[in-house]
Amino acid sequence: MIHILVSACLIGQNCKWDGKNNRDQKLLDFMERTKGIAEFHPVCPEEMGGLPTPRPAAEIRKEDEIVINREDRNVTAEFLLGADMALRTAKKYGCEIAILKERSPSCGKNGIYDGTFTHTLVPGMGKTAALLSGYGIRVVGESEIAELEKEMLDFSDARE
Ligand code: SF4
């Protein structure tokens, strides 16, 4: 069994900053197709770090890596705690892969917003994605699920 950490908002949990979700049908279909070879463990690092839902949107300031929310409050500590809690969950279940929401200041992988709240993307990772990556967990964005599925099914066929 392959254990996979997953951003809870991608599977439809209303944990996004605005109280909504980022339900991704491609991910849900992938979860259905990989039943029996993969087990999924949902996490929302921002909630795990103690932030309420809904909450003001936050971004990582490019110049100093501080996480600042729209009300100009420094929420770096909550983001780092959430990242740590997500890592603990990954370790608890032996997750080698994490499918995380792209562009999020927690979960984003291939680019995040620059802290100016102007929808400006810059290279970088969210706090949780970076921590998990640093511990050797493969972080996959929701746009990369097809590639991951192909690899998993090839791997599964090779073992039969
Ligand atoms: Fe989704 Fe991650 Fe943001 Fe939680 S912290 S709402 S799981 S992107």
Side-chain angles (χ1 to χ4, degrees):
M1 186 67 72
I2 302 169
H3 290 269
I4 302 178
L5 204 72
V6 63
S7 291
C9 61
L10 286 175
I11 62 165
Q13 289 188 26
N14 291 330
C15 52
K16 194 180 159 189
W17 63 271
D18 59 2
K20 298 179 181 169
N21 62 69
N22 296 304
R23 188 175 188 276
D24 188 296
Q25 191 57 47
K26 285 188 181 144
L27 171 61
L28 295 170
D29 292 346
F30 164 74
M31 290 168 75
E32 188 61 33
R33 286 193 297 272
T34 53
K35 255 188 189 159
I37 62 167
E39 199 167 299
F40 295 84
H41 305 280
V43 290
C44 175
E46 289 172 29
E47 286 191 343
M48 292 164 106
L51 292 169
T53 303
R55 55 190 171 274
E59 294 189 2
I60 300 176
R61 253 181 356 209
K62 195 175 149 203
E63 62 271 24
D64 55 12
E65 297 281 307
I66 295 287
V67 190
I68 203 87
N69 73 15
R70 264 197 180 277
E71 296 173 347
D72 217 24
R73 187 179 146 222
N74 183 339
V75 286
T76 310
E78 288 89 339
F79 271 62
L80 294 180
L81 176 61
D84 193 50
M85 302 288 284
L87 177 63
R88 282 171 193 236
T89 305
K91 284 184 173 171
K92 178 177 170 188
Y93 294 106
C95 298
E96 294 171 13
I97 299 168
I99 300 176
L100 301 184
K101 175 75 188 82
E102 292 164 355
R103 296 181 297 283
S104 152
S106 290
C107 295
K109 179 200 163 195
N110 296 324
I112 50 170
Y113 295 116
D114 70 349
T116 60
F117 296 95
T118 56
H119 278 86
T120 307
L121 277 173
V122 289
M125 297 177 106
K127 297 295 186 192
T128 295
L131 184 69
L132 296 178
S133 252
Y135 275 84
I137 295 168
R138 178 179 171 191
V139 176
V140 175
E142 70 271 24
S143 68
E144 300 169 317
I145 290 170
E147 281 165 57
L148 174 65
E149 180 171 6
K150 187 174 177 324
E151 284 173 40
M152 280 171 60
L153 296 177
D154 287 351
F155 179 69
S156 174
D157 287 349
R159 288 201 312 184
E160 280 174 7

